[in-house]
Amino acid sequence: DPFRDPECPAIAAVGSTVTVTGDCTANDYRMWFGSATIMHSGTDDRDLTIDGFGNAEDPGLLATLSGTASIRALADGRHEFDLDLVNDAPFEGVLTIAYLGTVEGGYADATTWNGSGTLVLEGDTVAASTVDEVWDPDACGGAPASGETTLTSEAHGVTIRYDGAIDCAEAQNAAWSLDGVDQDPIDG
């Protein structure tokens, strides 16, 4: 980006570690806060540590992200990911994400995602589970080709069924149900 401020946020690379540090105002008047550090180890392993990282033109609207994320190579073309994140956003509250999963496939090929975890927003917990979600960049504009995601709270259950392989729509929509009752497709 030719207009990016070269000094804010500050980016430092030392060996296999890159650190992005805010606590500054860029030349576009966007304020940056906190830090993010990415460590690369092994062939495909990555560790991300985030500490109050975010940016905004108005600090009253600043959403910050803190926590850790990691990717570990399990075998050729198979990785495990682990997310433990907290997103603190004004007017929306604090969202805590704890999610563990696997992905099979490469960056340029179809991938299959599986995982489960929890999302907690202001004390309300949602259990999330994804089974065999297939993303194929060559099919249906990159929309999920198949698989299912289930979201369950004390009050409701949502199931999202991906069907891009058999019903490729320009809106990249997915079928879903709320408490077992089919709803209009989700777009995007």
mmCIF file with all atom_site columns, all heavy atoms in Angstrom, residues 174-188:
data_model
loop_
_atom_site.group_PDB
_atom_site.id
_atom_site.type_symbol
_atom_site.label_atom_id
_atom_site.label_alt_id
_atom_site.label_comp_id
_atom_site.label_asym_id
_atom_site.label_entity_id
_atom_site.label_seq_id
_atom_site.pdbx_PDB_ins_code
_atom_site.Cartn_x
_atom_site.Cartn_y
_atom_site.Cartn_z
_atom_site.occupancy
_atom_site.B_iso_or_equiv
_atom_site.pdbx_formal_charge
_atom_site.auth_seq_id
_atom_site.auth_comp_id
_atom_site.auth_asym_id
_atom_site.auth_atom_id
_atom_site.pdbx_PDB_model_num
ATOM 1   N N   . ALA A 1 174 ? -26.483 -20.260 1.927  1.00 0.00 ? 174 ALA A N   1
ATOM 2   C CA  . ALA A 1 174 ? -26.498 -21.563 2.587  1.00 0.00 ? 174 ALA A CA  1
ATOM 3   C C   . ALA A 1 174 ? -27.864 -21.776 3.217  1.00 0.00 ? 174 ALA A C   1
ATOM 4   O O   . ALA A 1 174 ? -28.514 -20.827 3.659  1.00 0.00 ? 174 ALA A O   1
ATOM 5   C CB  . ALA A 1 174 ? -25.411 -21.624 3.658  1.00 0.00 ? 174 ALA A CB  1
ATOM 6   N N   . ALA A 1 175 ? -28.278 -23.030 3.262  1.00 0.00 ? 175 ALA A N   1
ATOM 7   C CA  . ALA A 1 175 ? -29.537 -23.378 3.918  1.00 0.00 ? 175 ALA A CA  1
ATOM 8   C C   . ALA A 1 175 ? -29.299 -23.398 5.428  1.00 0.00 ? 175 ALA A C   1
ATOM 9   O O   . ALA A 1 175 ? -28.213 -23.731 5.896  1.00 0.00 ? 175 ALA A O   1
ATOM 10  C CB  . ALA A 1 175 ? -30.003 -24.743 3.434  1.00 0.00 ? 175 ALA A CB  1
ATOM 11  N N   . TRP A 1 176 ? -30.332 -23.024 6.180  1.00 0.00 ? 176 TRP A N   1
ATOM 12  C CA  . TRP A 1 176 ? -30.188 -23.081 7.628  1.00 0.00 ? 176 TRP A CA  1
ATOM 13  C C   . TRP A 1 176 ? -31.526 -23.310 8.295  1.00 0.00 ? 176 TRP A C   1
ATOM 14  O O   . TRP A 1 176 ? -32.582 -23.106 7.701  1.00 0.00 ? 176 TRP A O   1
ATOM 15  C CB  . TRP A 1 176 ? -29.506 -21.822 8.158  1.00 0.00 ? 176 TRP A CB  1
ATOM 16  C CG  . TRP A 1 176 ? -30.334 -20.561 8.133  1.00 0.00 ? 176 TRP A CG  1
ATOM 17  C CD1 . TRP A 1 176 ? -30.712 -19.846 7.042  1.00 0.00 ? 176 TRP A CD1 1
ATOM 18  C CD2 . TRP A 1 176 ? -30.872 -19.870 9.266  1.00 0.00 ? 176 TRP A CD2 1
ATOM 19  N NE1 . TRP A 1 176 ? -31.440 -18.742 7.420  1.00 0.00 ? 176 TRP A NE1 1
ATOM 20  C CE2 . TRP A 1 176 ? -31.556 -18.730 8.785  1.00 0.00 ? 176 TRP A CE2 1
ATOM 21  C CE3 . TRP A 1 176 ? -30.837 -20.098 10.638 1.00 0.00 ? 176 TRP A CE3 1
ATOM 22  C CZ2 . TRP A 1 176 ? -32.196 -17.832 9.626  1.00 0.00 ? 176 TRP A CZ2 1
ATOM 23  C CZ3 . TRP A 1 176 ? -31.474 -19.198 11.482 1.00 0.00 ? 176 TRP A CZ3 1
ATOM 24  C CH2 . TRP A 1 176 ? -32.144 -18.080 10.974 1.00 0.00 ? 176 TRP A CH2 1
ATOM 25  N N   . SER A 1 177 ? -31.464 -23.760 9.540  1.00 0.00 ? 177 SER A N   1
ATOM 26  C CA  . SER A 1 177 ? -32.682 -23.965 10.309 1.00 0.00 ? 177 SER A CA  1
ATOM 27  C C   . SER A 1 177 ? -32.485 -23.399 11.708 1.00 0.00 ? 177 SER A C   1
ATOM 28  O O   . SER A 1 177 ? -31.368 -23.346 12.225 1.00 0.00 ? 177 SER A O   1
ATOM 29  C CB  . SER A 1 177 ? -33.029 -25.455 10.389 1.00 0.00 ? 177 SER A CB  1
ATOM 30  O OG  . SER A 1 177 ? -32.005 -26.165 11.054 1.00 0.00 ? 177 SER A OG  1
ATOM 31  N N   . LEU A 1 178 ? -33.594 -22.955 12.289 1.00 0.00 ? 178 LEU A N   1
ATOM 32  C CA  . LEU A 1 178 ? -33.620 -22.447 13.653 1.00 0.00 ? 178 LEU A CA  1
ATOM 33  C C   . LEU A 1 178 ? -34.542 -23.342 14.447 1.00 0.00 ? 178 LEU A C   1
ATOM 34  O O   . LEU A 1 178 ? -35.726 -23.494 14.091 1.00 0.00 ? 178 LEU A O   1
ATOM 35  C CB  . LEU A 1 178 ? -34.123 -20.997 13.669 1.00 0.00 ? 178 LEU A CB  1
ATOM 36  C CG  . LEU A 1 178 ? -34.362 -20.368 15.047 1.00 0.00 ? 178 LEU A CG  1
ATOM 37  C CD1 . LEU A 1 178 ? -33.063 -20.294 15.846 1.00 0.00 ? 178 LEU A CD1 1
ATOM 38  C CD2 . LEU A 1 178 ? -34.997 -18.989 14.905 1.00 0.00 ? 178 LEU A CD2 1
ATOM 39  N N   . ASP A 1 179 ? -34.011 -23.973 15.461 1.00 0.00 ? 179 ASP A N   1
ATOM 40  C CA  . ASP A 1 179 ? -34.782 -24.894 16.292 1.00 0.00 ? 179 ASP A CA  1
ATOM 41  C C   . ASP A 1 179 ? -35.497 -25.951 15.447 1.00 0.00 ? 179 ASP A C   1
ATOM 42  O O   . ASP A 1 179 ? -36.661 -26.291 15.691 1.00 0.00 ? 179 ASP A O   1
ATOM 43  C CB  . ASP A 1 179 ? -35.776 -24.136 17.170 1.00 0.00 ? 179 ASP A CB  1
ATOM 44  C CG  . ASP A 1 179 ? -35.081 -23.186 18.130 1.00 0.00 ? 179 ASP A CG  1
ATOM 45  O OD1 . ASP A 1 179 ? -33.937 -23.488 18.549 1.00 0.00 ? 179 ASP A OD1 1
ATOM 46  O OD2 . ASP A 1 179 ? -35.658 -22.130 18.454 1.00 0.00 ? 179 ASP A OD2 1
ATOM 47  N N   . GLY A 1 180 ? -34.808 -26.436 14.394 1.00 0.00 ? 180 GLY A N   1
ATOM 48  C CA  . GLY A 1 180 ? -35.347 -27.495 13.547 1.00 0.00 ? 180 GLY A CA  1
ATOM 49  C C   . GLY A 1 180 ? -36.277 -27.040 12.441 1.00 0.00 ? 180 GLY A C   1
ATOM 50  O O   . GLY A 1 180 ? -36.760 -27.853 11.662 1.00 0.00 ? 180 GLY A O   1
ATOM 51  N N   . VAL A 1 181 ? -36.560 -25.735 12.356 1.00 0.00 ? 181 VAL A N   1
ATOM 52  C CA  . VAL A 1 181 ? -37.458 -25.209 11.335 1.00 0.00 ? 181 VAL A CA  1
ATOM 53  C C   . VAL A 1 181 ? -36.612 -24.501 10.258 1.00 0.00 ? 181 VAL A C   1
ATOM 54  O O   . VAL A 1 181 ? -35.862 -23.574 10.567 1.00 0.00 ? 181 VAL A O   1
ATOM 55  C CB  . VAL A 1 181 ? -38.478 -24.215 11.944 1.00 0.00 ? 181 VAL A CB  1
ATOM 56  C CG1 . VAL A 1 181 ? -39.364 -23.619 10.870 1.00 0.00 ? 181 VAL A CG1 1
ATOM 57  C CG2 . VAL A 1 181 ? -39.300 -24.891 13.026 1.00 0.00 ? 181 VAL A CG2 1
ATOM 58  N N   . ASP A 1 182 ? -36.757 -24.955 8.997  1.00 0.00 ? 182 ASP A N   1
ATOM 59  C CA  . ASP A 1 182 ? -36.012 -24.350 7.891  1.00 0.00 ? 182 ASP A CA  1
ATOM 60  C C   . ASP A 1 182 ? -36.348 -22.871 7.750  1.00 0.00 ? 182 ASP A C   1
ATOM 61  O O   . ASP A 1 182 ? -37.497 -22.469 7.916  1.00 0.00 ? 182 ASP A O   1
ATOM 62  C CB  . ASP A 1 182 ? -36.301 -25.077 6.582  1.00 0.00 ? 182 ASP A CB  1
ATOM 63  C CG  . ASP A 1 182 ? -35.662 -26.460 6.529  1.00 0.00 ? 182 ASP A CG  1
ATOM 64  O OD1 . ASP A 1 182 ? -34.719 -26.708 7.306  1.00 0.00 ? 182 ASP A OD1 1
ATOM 65  O OD2 . ASP A 1 182 ? -36.092 -27.281 5.705  1.00 0.00 ? 182 ASP A OD2 1
ATOM 66  N N   . GLN A 1 183 ? -35.313 -22.069 7.415  1.00 0.00 ? 183 GLN A N   1
ATOM 67  C CA  . GLN A 1 183 ? -35.451 -20.625 7.248  1.00 0.00 ? 183 GLN A CA  1
ATOM 68  C C   . GLN A 1 183 ? -35.038 -20.260 5.819  1.00 0.00 ? 183 GLN A C   1
ATOM 69  O O   . GLN A 1 183 ? -34.527 -21.083 5.076  1.00 0.00 ? 183 GLN A O   1
ATOM 70  C CB  . GLN A 1 183 ? -34.535 -19.901 8.250  1.00 0.00 ? 183 GLN A CB  1
ATOM 71  C CG  . GLN A 1 183 ? -34.751 -20.307 9.692  1.00 0.00 ? 183 GLN A CG  1
ATOM 72  C CD  . GLN A 1 183 ? -36.100 -19.900 10.243 1.00 0.00 ? 183 GLN A CD  1
ATOM 73  O OE1 . GLN A 1 183 ? -36.536 -18.759 10.082 1.00 0.00 ? 183 GLN A OE1 1
ATOM 74  N NE2 . GLN A 1 183 ? -36.798 -20.827 10.892 1.00 0.00 ? 183 GLN A NE2 1
ATOM 75  N N   . ASP A 1 184 ? -35.265 -18.988 5.428  1.00 0.00 ? 184 ASP A N   1
ATOM 76  C CA  . ASP A 1 184 ? -34.769 -18.509 4.137  1.00 0.00 ? 184 ASP A CA  1
ATOM 77  C C   . ASP A 1 184 ? -33.249 -18.594 4.130  1.00 0.00 ? 184 ASP A C   1
ATOM 78  O O   . ASP A 1 184 ? -32.608 -18.413 5.166  1.00 0.00 ? 184 ASP A O   1
ATOM 79  C CB  . ASP A 1 184 ? -35.216 -17.076 3.887  1.00 0.00 ? 184 ASP A CB  1
ATOM 80  C CG  . ASP A 1 184 ? -36.716 -16.962 3.621  1.00 0.00 ? 184 ASP A CG  1
ATOM 81  O OD1 . ASP A 1 184 ? -37.317 -17.965 3.198  1.00 0.00 ? 184 ASP A OD1 1
ATOM 82  O OD2 . ASP A 1 184 ? -37.270 -15.874 3.873  1.00 0.00 ? 184 ASP A OD2 1
ATOM 83  N N   . PRO A 1 185 ? -32.632 -18.843 2.962  1.00 0.00 ? 185 PRO A N   1
ATOM 84  C CA  . PRO A 1 185 ? -31.171 -19.002 2.900  1.00 0.00 ? 185 PRO A CA  1
ATOM 85  C C   . PRO A 1 185 ? -30.423 -17.776 3.423  1.00 0.00 ? 185 PRO A C   1
ATOM 86  O O   . PRO A 1 185 ? -30.886 -16.655 3.320  1.00 0.00 ? 185 PRO A O   1
ATOM 87  C CB  . PRO A 1 185 ? -30.893 -19.195 1.406  1.00 0.00 ? 185 PRO A CB  1
ATOM 88  C CG  . PRO A 1 185 ? -32.177 -19.657 0.823  1.00 0.00 ? 185 PRO A CG  1
ATOM 89  C CD  . PRO A 1 185 ? -33.251 -19.002 1.651  1.00 0.00 ? 185 PRO A CD  1
ATOM 90  N N   . ILE A 1 186 ? -29.235 -18.044 3.987  1.00 0.00 ? 186 ILE A N   1
ATOM 91  C CA  . ILE A 1 186 ? -28.315 -16.991 4.413  1.00 0.00 ? 186 ILE A CA  1
ATOM 92  C C   . ILE A 1 186 ? -27.479 -16.633 3.207  1.00 0.00 ? 186 ILE A C   1
ATOM 93  O O   . ILE A 1 186 ? -26.914 -17.507 2.545  1.00 0.00 ? 186 ILE A O   1
ATOM 94  C CB  . ILE A 1 186 ? -27.382 -17.510 5.525  1.00 0.00 ? 186 ILE A CB  1
ATOM 95  C CG1 . ILE A 1 186 ? -28.162 -17.917 6.749  1.00 0.00 ? 186 ILE A CG1 1
ATOM 96  C CG2 . ILE A 1 186 ? -26.332 -16.455 5.868  1.00 0.00 ? 186 ILE A CG2 1
ATOM 97  C CD1 . ILE A 1 186 ? -27.307 -18.611 7.796  1.00 0.00 ? 186 ILE A CD1 1
ATOM 98  N N   . ASP A 1 187 ? -27.372 -15.357 2.876  1.00 0.00 ? 187 ASP A N   1
ATOM 99  C CA  . ASP A 1 187 ? -26.543 -14.911 1.759  1.00 0.00 ? 187 ASP A CA  1
ATOM 100 C C   . ASP A 1 187 ? -25.165 -14.504 2.239  1.00 0.00 ? 187 ASP A C   1
ATOM 101 O O   . ASP A 1 187 ? -25.022 -13.948 3.324  1.00 0.00 ? 187 ASP A O   1
ATOM 102 C CB  . ASP A 1 187 ? -27.184 -13.725 1.032  1.00 0.00 ? 187 ASP A CB  1
ATOM 103 C CG  . ASP A 1 187 ? -28.443 -14.121 0.272  1.00 0.00 ? 187 ASP A CG  1
ATOM 104 O OD1 . ASP A 1 187 ? -28.631 -15.330 0.038  1.00 0.00 ? 187 ASP A OD1 1
ATOM 105 O OD2 . ASP A 1 187 ? -29.228 -13.229 -0.066 1.00 0.00 ? 187 ASP A OD2 1
ATOM 106 N N   . GLY A 1 188 ? -24.155 -14.733 1.366  1.00 0.00 ? 188 GLY A N   1
ATOM 107 C CA  . GLY A 1 188 ? -22.807 -14.253 1.640  1.00 0.00 ? 188 GLY A CA  1
ATOM 108 C C   . GLY A 1 188 ? -21.995 -15.240 2.324  1.00 0.00 ? 188 GLY A C   1
ATOM 109 O O   . GLY A 1 188 ? -20.988 -15.185 2.844  1.00 0.00 ? 188 GLY A O   1
#
